[in-house]
Amino acid sequence: PQSGDSSLVFDLVGTDCSIANAIRRVILNEVATIAIEKVVFLQNTGIMQDEKLAHRLGLIPILADPSEFAERPAVTGEPEATENDTLVFELEVECTEADIDRDDP
């Protein structure tokens, strides 16, 4: 195996695809990640639906060390966010006529 500061490369030879896929799923499950979970729109006058825009925001990788955050407790209902377990981003964007490229389909 080869390893670096944040990566590991190995070859899995002579193994059934289902076993390789199971190992891949376990690895993905065990790697701590941070992602956008909740999006609040105050006003959306664009053509993209809120749900689709929120989904796309959730796909953006966030470069933060998960070990520096407390894990949110799994309780029923919506637990209150604290500064120890939450990142808050604010985005204020306005589209003007100058931003629109009429030649772009």
Side-chain angles (χ1 to χ4, degrees), residues 43-46 53 91-100:
Q43 182 179 19
N44 180 7
T45 59
L53 186 55
L91 177 64
E92 187 174 328
V93 179
E94 185 175 330
C95 181
T96 64
E97 285 289 327
D99 297 329
I100 298 172

Side-chain angles (χ1 to χ4, degrees), residues 20-88:
N21 191 39
I23 292 171
R24 179 190 65 83
R25 287 176 180 255
V26 168
I27 290 171
L28 288 174
N29 251 356
E30 296 301 319
V31 173
T33 57
I34 293 178
I36 296 174
E37 179 181 45
K38 183 177 181 180
V39 178
V40 177
F41 292 95
L42 299 180
Q43 182 179 19
N44 180 7
T45 59
I47 61 171
M48 189 176 292
Q49 299 169 336
D50 292 353
E51 295 81 12
K52 188 167 192 130
L53 186 55
H55 173 71
R56 286 190 173 192
L57 289 172
L59 297 174
I60 298 173
I62 298 175
L63 297 177
D65 186 0
S67 65
E68 294 181 8
F69 297 90
E71 191 169 329
R72 293 183 74 176
V75 296
T76 58
E78 191 73 24
E80 289 296 319
T82 68
E83 61 188 30
N84 297 325
D85 63 14
T86 305
L87 291 172
V88 177

